[in-house]
Structures are given as structure tokens and as C-alpha cells.
Amino acid sequence: VQLQASGGGLVQAGGSLRLSCASSGSTFSSYAVGWFRQAPGKEREFVAGISSSGNHTNYVDSVKGRFTISRDNAKNMVYLQMNSLKPEDTADYYCAADPYYSETITSKSWAYDFWGQGTLVTVSS
């Protein structure tokens, strides 16, 4: 399974961006997917996750109410809509797929076997 993240860019505080994660694998729809981010000098952090069916989602507290994760299994796509962006959201954002638990979302990066390259989100104050 190959993943490709896109949609990052430079935005002012309070603005919005939508990240996309595209997969070329036919089994992508059976995997839970997570978005992680890593800011310079910081550890990688779980941001949001969605189950394979899309029925379950999970968010880190700092983005609840501002970010929304969704997926379109017919298109092999997962999205992260980010609203009310803050400078502290600045980071490289990565999408990842967990092939082991389809309806359970874990925040542990080691559970995700497949990773896309990062897409940089920069929020200016």
C-alpha cells in the first residue's frame, strides 16, 4: 500500500486547509487511517484517525472542534479538514494506514505499517 499526502501550504492564523491522503492499494478501504504531525524539534504526534468504515473517529484534544477527518473508500482517499488554524499547528503532516485493526483507532505510531511522505503546513500569526 502506497500513500501520498498533499494539500499543505502557508496559511494565516484562523484560516483553513484540507489535506488529502491518496492510496494506490486495493485494500486501503479495509484499514484504519491516521494523520500524524511532527513539528521541528518535537516528536511525532497523533492528530486524528478514522476507522475503515468511517463510522469511528478520534482526535487529539488540541484539534477537537477544529479538524475533521473523513474518507471516501470508493476513491481510496482520506481527508483532514483543518479550520481555525493556529501557529502551533505548524508541522509536517503524515497519513498512515493501520492494517491490523480496521474499526479500532490507535494513536500509537508503531501500529501503522504504511506511511506517506509529509506535507508541510505552515500557519503564520
Side-chain angles (χ1 to χ4, degrees), residues 37-40 86-93 120-124:
R37 66 186 178 187
Q38 188 166 19
K86 304 176 181 180
E88 51 263 45
D89 294 319
T90 295
D92 280 308
Y93 283 72
L120 178 62
V121 172
T122 304
V123 184
S124 63

Side-chain angles (χ1 to χ4, degrees), residues 2-125:
Q2 290 187 326
L3 305 179
Q4 183 169 1
S6 62
L10 173 63
V11 64
Q12 289 187 331
S16 298
L17 283 174
R18 189 177 82 155
L19 305 185
S20 298
C21 178
S23 173
S24 60
S26 59
T27 54
F28 181 70
S29 61
S30 64
Y31 298 162
V33 173
W35 282 98
F36 291 78
R37 66 186 178 187
Q38 188 166 19
K42 294 189 177 181
E43 293 186 353
R44 188 169 295 187
E45 173 189 38
F46 173 83
V47 176
I50 188 166
S51 62
S52 60
S53 65
N55 290 335
H56 305 289
T57 58
N58 193 19
Y59 300 90
V60 68
D61 286 347
S62 60
V63 308
K64 285 180 179 177
R66 300 188 298 123
F67 291 11
T68 303
I69 189 171
S70 62
R71 70 188 300 161
D72 184 340
N73 283 339
K75 297 181 178 179
N76 275 358
M77 297 288 294
V78 171
Y79 306 99
L80 185 67
Q81 178 66 43
M82 306 186 297
N83 298 329
S84 302
L85 282 162
K86 304 176 181 180
E88 51 263 45
D89 294 319
T90 295
D92 280 308
Y93 283 72
Y94 302 84
C95 61
D98 173 5
Y100 302 107
Y101 300 102
S102 61
E103 288 299 298
T104 300
I105 303 161
T106 178
S107 62
K108 306 299 183 183
S109 61
W110 50 259
Y112 292 81
D113 272 6
F114 306 107
W115 290 81
Q117 87 295 349
T119 185
L120 178 62
V121 172
T122 304
V123 184
S124 63
S125 57

